Amino acid sequence: MPKLKLTETILRDGQQSLAMTRMTTEEMVPILPTLDRVGYHSLEVFGGATFDVCLRYLNEDPWHRLRVLRANLPSSQLQMLFRGQSAFGYRHYPDDIVQSTVQRAAAGGIDIMRVYDALNDYRNLETAIATAKRERLTVSAAICYTESPVHTTEYFVNVAKEYINLGADAICIKDASGILRPYEAYQLVKALRAELPSVQLQLHTHTTAGLAAMTVLKAVEIGVEYVDTALSPFAEGSSLPATEAMTSAFANTPYAPTLDGTALEEAALYFSQIRTRYIKEGLISPDILRANPEVCVHQMPTGTYSQLFEQVCRMDATDRLPEIYEEICRVRADAGYASLVTPIAQVIGTQALRNVLDGERYKTVTPDFRALIGGSYGRLPAPAEPIFVKQILGDELPISYRPADKLLGAVEKYRNLVAPYAEQDEDFLTLAMFEDVAKHYFEERKRQKYHLDFAASKAFPVHPI
């Protein structure tokens, strides 16, 4: 029986879930040699919200962060979370942008690509997986787990088969909302193992609803071999199960992970100090440290909930949150029971908010929701009702082809646009995915470089002869 292998997420999803992804590279570096000694299957370090937040809030270059982490984690497999045709962004990009992004991530030191599509539409993973295989990355294709009348065990097994046919090396059950119940996990893993007996099975589940520890136990008992965790200072609540707790839970069993306990303890102590500071600074809210059973109803993952809550506060409408939760469920049903993960969760959450505040459903239709119903994000899990499609799109017909098929190549365009700012090859990709935010970051980077150069010239003046 194989030992359980753990993927440590504290440098990405752990701190994203509890501290809004605000951990800096400078804070990470001192503990990296210790993390490198632990013996994890992999360390998740790149992708998800880290790319956006580095640029938008931390004034950091995410590509530079990746190179720093690679240099300081020589013995570890580094993993990234990739949004398929959306790469690290929130909309679909042309194939050449997706290909170049995967290539640069591989060149920067990524070993494993965890890739998903919010609609579980295999067409939106074709380019990313094909490129990753050419770059000799291990591909972990994630099924976005959700509950609805159409999301049956058979549905998820069929999605997994499609991903394996594309070339995926492993299948991950991605439960971003933390709603996967123990016995549903048992049945799903049992079915996946029966249909895909030799494929690596992985589980990524959050502790948001308080179910995760039990869910992990039942999943491992029936065939999951890899589990995502986070070191205890950035675990539990809306994050993932604690690494130390999972290690202890399976101790003295055939599944027991083989990890360096001393290194684990040292790393946990280090991150405890960061956690304490974050709580004082208000980066970690007490509300996300507790179990939230209501997530099993609205299914909103914590990151999206935080963004929605911020919107509601700006509009002075916090008293209407219960209505908004109910409307999220209704909008999601209208949209074919799309999974509430990035970027679809933001699309549905914003439309639900609009419906409630307008006092009339779909009086205002956001461009992103219109694009969702029109097929621009991919195939909906269940077809939307024709009358509803007509209401949203008018005389326009939804597309049936792969959305990226109609997107023109953009590499040369963004290479030209980035020329006034470029300092490294990856800058054109940063601009392609986050145009306005990237320009602001590039301008700030140029100003900082000028001040550094100016300071150096003053420290070491050149006197004329």
Side-chain angles (χ1 to χ4, degrees), residues 53-302:
V53 172
C54 273
L55 298 168
R56 194 182 299 268
Y57 299 110
L58 302 182
N59 196 33
E60 285 192 24
D61 173 35
W63 298 105
H64 174 70
R65 171 182 287 190
L66 175 58
R67 291 189 288 268
V68 169
L69 295 177
R70 177 72 282 171
N72 287 276
L73 294 164
S75 302
S76 298
Q77 292 196 104
L78 301 190
Q79 182 170 311
M80 70 173 177
L81 182 67
F82 200 73
R83 296 170 181 152
Q85 206 67 34
S86 297
F88 300 128
Y90 304 105
R91 60 182 175 85
H92 281 200
Y93 303 103
D95 285 336
D96 62 346
I97 294 294
V98 173
Q99 291 164 348
S100 295
T101 305
V102 174
Q103 289 164 355
R104 296 315 303 163
I110 289 297
D111 302 293
I112 301 170
M113 179 181 74
R114 169 78 56 75
V115 63
Y116 76 92
D117 176 67
L119 297 175
N120 290 321
D121 186 342
Y122 75 91
R123 301 172 304 168
N124 294 333
L125 302 190
E126 289 174 349
T127 298
I129 290 178
T131 308
K133 297 301 289 186
R134 287 196 297 271
E135 297 297 319
R136 300 184 179 180
L137 299 183
T138 299
V139 175
S140 166
I143 305 165
C144 293
Y145 180 81
T146 188
E147 293 180 351
S148 83
V150 299
H151 288 92
T152 62
T153 297
E154 181 182 12
Y155 167 91
F156 289 122
V157 170
N158 287 336
V159 171
K161 288 179 177 178
E162 289 170 340
Y163 291 171
I164 292 300
N165 288 338
L166 290 179
D169 302 292
I171 294 296
C172 174
I173 303 167
K174 177 179 171 61
D175 175 28
S177 300
I179 60 174
L180 179 58
R181 295 169 174 85
Y183 288 98
E184 275 80 358
Y186 187 92
Q187 293 302 325
L188 176 54
V189 175
K190 182 179 180 181
L192 288 169
R193 183 52 72 213
E195 292 290 332
L196 303 167
S198 61
V199 172
Q200 292 180 13
L201 294 184
Q202 305 169 342
L203 177 61
H204 174 100
T205 185
H206 286 245
T207 52
T208 315
L211 301 170
M214 295 179 286
T215 297
V216 169
L217 178 62
K218 297 305 292 182
V220 170
E221 285 180 348
I222 196 61
V224 158
E225 305 154 301
Y226 300 78
V227 172
D228 291 4
T229 61
L231 277 163
S232 55
F234 285 85
E236 305 302 326
S238 62
S239 183
L240 293 91
T243 305
E244 304 96 310
M246 289 297 100
T247 303
S248 180
F250 291 101
N252 305 317
T253 74
Y255 309 106
T258 306
L259 300 179
D260 184 326
T262 302
L264 268 183
E265 185 176 347
E266 182 182 333
L269 178 61
Y270 177 84
F271 285 111
S272 292
Q273 296 165 348
I274 294 178
R275 171 194 166 102
T276 299
R277 189 172 77 254
Y278 283 4
I279 290 175
K280 288 180 180 177
E281 294 172 356
L283 284 176
I284 297 179
S285 166
D287 288 340
I288 61 173
L289 298 177
R290 64 175 179 86
N292 233 343
E294 60 264 33
V295 72
C296 292
V297 179
H298 60 69
Q299 300 193 36
M300 269 285 188
T302 304

Side-chain angles (χ1 to χ4, degrees), residues 415-436:
R415 283 195 183 278
N416 292 332
L417 287 175
V418 85
Y421 309 100
E423 294 184 8
Q424 60 183 357
D425 187 54
E426 295 88 352
D427 284 344
F428 82 93
L429 294 170
T430 302
L431 186 67
M433 289 182 279
F434 296 96
E435 193 155 338
D436 292 337

